Amino acid sequence: MRFTSEQRLDDGVVERGFTLGEVPGILWTPGSASAPAPLILLGHPGGLHRMYPRLAARARHTVAEGFAAATIELPGSGDRPRLATVDEARADLQRALAAGAPVDGEIVDRLVLPLVEKAVPEWRAALDALLALPGIGGPVGYAGGVIAIGVRLAVVEPRISAAVLFAGSYVPRSMFEEARQVTIPLLVLLQWDDEGNDRQMALDLFDAFGSREKTLHANMGGHTGVPGFEGDDGSRFFARHLR
Amino acid sequence: MRFTSEQRLDDGVVERGFTLGEVPGILWTPGSASAPAPLILLGHPGGLHRMYPRLAARARHTVAEGFAAATIELPGSGDRPRLATVDEARADLQRALAAGAPVDGEIVDRLVLPLVEKAVPEWRAALDALLALPGIGGPVGYAGGVIAIGVRLAVVEPRISAAVLFAGSYVPRSMFEEARQVTIPLLVLLQWDDEGNDRQMALDLFDAFGSREKTLHANMGGHTGVPGFEGDDGSRFFARHLR
């Protein structure tokens, strides 16, 4: 892990850019030294530059609540080399949506499964590096979209103790079986009128999770309309499970 | 309104029994005088004695958050005269459930509609009396089950500004049209595995509400298994909308 930039934001949060091999990432930590902070991994749909304003806002909120926050770029997104097969699948998906056609499970598989396969080992490597830094401790939470990545991480990565999952992206049918293997506490966010999501699929996925403690929060509005108070709810959820 | 008892609970909350005409009720207020507290009406399925431990716990939590709380007995419940038609409908419902038969909408209508028709004017009369007391101010919230009573109150009673509705009871199909007329902010609680409830009906009802701000919180477990943290979430919801 190599740090590439460091700045102190106006609220005292320290923001550091890093690269881990060829994967760029960002780490946000409290400005003043204190006890090791539990780490929240911030998931996102890819494109660190494009997503930066929303990621930074979530990170500052997270750090203000006493956590550290970190994210990495997704395979095929931002400045990373494109993944031709994923780009093709995304184009097929957009064609299907534009035509008002039902979204074929085969397209979803081609879009999401290679991303999960490539991204999850990268998130785990980032976790190794981040947890070796001073000031960052376990346990770890995952918060974010590309819910399939969150599901796989929750199954394979024992250091992740709780997750806030944003049910706003397509999930391959094969991952419902994985969802049954998830046992950590979950808070699942659903935007009820999300134009790019399948509400019934999100409800089925929530039903499938094997966790004894799982809570669904559904709110009105579209994909990017998650109300601000859900940020507070997420912090309290992590405070219950990571402290 | 006539007060029939008064006691100070160990956390300083003042609990007063009252009757309003023939309707018994309980009022919980902060022990020390302060600015008028917004009032939360606590809905319940009937039977003040039987429900007392759970109602008192909810009320103490509510008062600790700076509200006043009050409840009244439902028509046909507790010490009030039975409602023969409602009792018959309840027996028919239990027979249907015991037989594993689908619950006929006609039974639900006979069970719930007369309760709503009788209870809602009583809650409104209680509101008149309670808001005339010193130390209690508007705006008013409704929190509780018998969701059909909450729906009707939210439609006809303009003093109710926000509601936490527990989707754990049957709702007559005719009330879905009323749900569309509800415009106040709502927090709807759903127990995902509630054995005495129809999950799809609860989701349809949530969908039907006309409110621009409505949030669904679904948790694991049966009818009485609502997790304790939902009490905190409810308080924060009311704090956002009643202060």
Side-chain angles (χ1 to χ4, degrees):
Chain A
M1 173 176 259
R2 196 168 63 79
F3 285 106
T4 54
S5 69
E6 171 164 346
Q7 62 170 322
R8 184 174 289 263
L9 307 179
D10 51 19
D11 48 7
V13 173
V14 176
E15 175 182 296
R16 280 177 285 180
F18 64 82
T19 56
L20 192 71
E22 292 176 353
V23 182
I26 312 175
L27 170 64
W28 294 269
T29 48
S32 51
S34 55
L39 176 65
I40 311 288
L41 301 176
L42 301 183
H44 61 87
L48 278 188
H49 289 302
R50 184 174 61 91
M51 292 298 296
Y52 176 80
R54 275 191 276 165
L55 283 167
R58 286 165 59 197
R60 291 159 83 137
H61 191 278
T62 302
V63 173
E65 299 289 334
F67 303 101
T71 192
I72 56 174
E73 183 61 279
L74 284 194
S77 285
D79 298 333
R80 300 187 62 185
R82 311 299 306 173
L83 296 176
T85 54
V86 171
D87 284 349
E88 257 171 53
R90 190 176 289 114
D92 291 346
L93 174 71
Q94 278 156 1
R95 258 192 299 275
L97 290 175
V103 173
D104 197 317
E106 176 269 335
I107 297 179
V108 174
D109 288 354
R110 283 194 284 124
L111 176 65
V112 180
L113 291 179
L115 264 185
V116 172
E117 295 295 338
K118 263 187 92 65
V120 165
E122 294 176 353
W123 280 101
R124 300 186 73 185
L127 208 44
D128 292 340
L130 290 162
L131 290 176
L133 296 174
I136 298 180
V140 179
Y142 177 89
V146 196
I147 192 166
I149 293 178
V151 170
R152 175 69 58 83
L153 272 171
V155 171
V156 301
E157 178 46 72
R159 291 173 291 186
I160 294 184
S161 303
V164 176
L165 298 178
F166 180 53
S169 52
Y170 291 95
V171 177
R173 276 281 147 187
S174 63
M175 293 207 68
F176 278 67
E177 204 40 60
E178 276 181 71
R180 280 179 243 285
Q181 297 167 41
V182 174
T183 57
I184 59 172
L186 297 179
L187 173 58
V188 178
L189 302 184
L190 169 63
Q191 288 297 96
W192 199 250
D193 302 317
D194 190 341
E195 58 289 344
N197 193 17
D198 178 334
R199 185 196 299 165
Q200 190 57 51
M201 193 211 63
L203 293 170
D204 291 347
L205 185 67
F206 176 70
D207 194 49
F209 284 121
S211 309
R212 210 170 36 145
E213 182 182 333
K214 52 180 177 180
T215 300
L216 176 75
H217 284 190
N219 287 287
M220 289 307 96
H223 190 79
T224 58
V226 179
F229 56 76
E230 288 295 350
D232 297 323
D233 285 7
S235 295
R236 279 186 292 264
F237 168 81
F238 282 128
R240 275 207 307 279
H241 296 292
L242 302 185
R243 289 236 176 81
Chain B
M1 172 177 261
R2 193 169 62 82
F3 286 106
T4 54
S5 68
E6 171 164 344
Q7 63 172 322
R8 185 174 291 260
L9 308 179
D10 51 19
D11 48 7
V13 173
V14 175
E15 176 182 294
R16 281 177 283 182
F18 63 82
T19 56
L20 192 70
E22 293 176 352
V23 182
I26 311 175
L27 169 65
W28 295 269
T29 49
S32 52
S34 55
L39 175 65
I40 312 287
L41 301 176
L42 301 183
H44 61 88
L48 277 188
H49 289 302
R50 183 175 61 91
M51 293 296 297
Y52 176 81
R54 275 191 278 165
L55 282 168
R58 286 165 59 196
R60 290 158 84 136
H61 192 279
T62 302
V63 172
E65 299 288 335
F67 303 101
T71 193
I72 56 174
E73 184 61 279
L74 285 194
S77 286
D79 299 332
R80 301 188 61 184
R82 312 298 307 171
L83 296 175
T85 56
V86 170
D87 284 349
E88 259 171 53
R90 190 176 289 112
D92 291 344
L93 174 71
Q94 279 155 0
R95 260 192 299 274
L97 290 174
V103 173
D104 196 315
E106 175 269 335
I107 298 180
V108 174
D109 287 354
R110 281 194 286 123
L111 176 65
V112 180
L113 290 179
L115 264 186
V116 173
E117 294 295 337
K118 262 187 91 67
V120 166
E122 293 175 353
W123 280 101
R124 300 187 74 183
L127 208 43
D128 292 340
L130 290 161
L131 289 177
L133 296 173
I136 298 180
V140 179
Y142 177 88
V146 197
I147 192 165
I149 293 177
V151 171
R152 175 70 58 83
L153 272 171
V155 171
V156 302
E157 178 48 71
R159 290 172 293 186
I160 294 185
S161 302
V164 176
L165 298 178
F166 180 52
S169 52
Y170 291 94
V171 177
R173 276 281 147 186
S174 63
M175 291 206 70
F176 278 67
E177 203 41 60
E178 275 181 73
R180 279 177 244 286
Q181 297 167 40
V182 174
T183 57
I184 59 172
L186 297 179
L187 173 57
V188 178
L189 302 185
L190 170 62
Q191 286 299 94
W192 199 249
D193 303 316
D194 190 341
E195 58 288 347
N197 192 16
D198 178 334
R199 186 197 298 165
Q200 190 57 51
M201 193 211 65
L203 293 170
D204 291 346
L205 185 66
F206 176 71
D207 194 50
F209 284 122
S211 308
R212 212 171 35 150
E213 182 181 333
K214 54 181 177 180
T215 300
L216 176 76
H217 284 191
N219 287 287
M220 288 307 95
H223 190 79
T224 58
V226 179
F229 55 76
E230 288 295 351
D232 297 323
D233 285 8
S235 294
R236 279 185 292 263
F237 168 82
F238 281 129
R240 275 207 307 281
H241 295 292
L242 302 187
R243 288 231 178 87

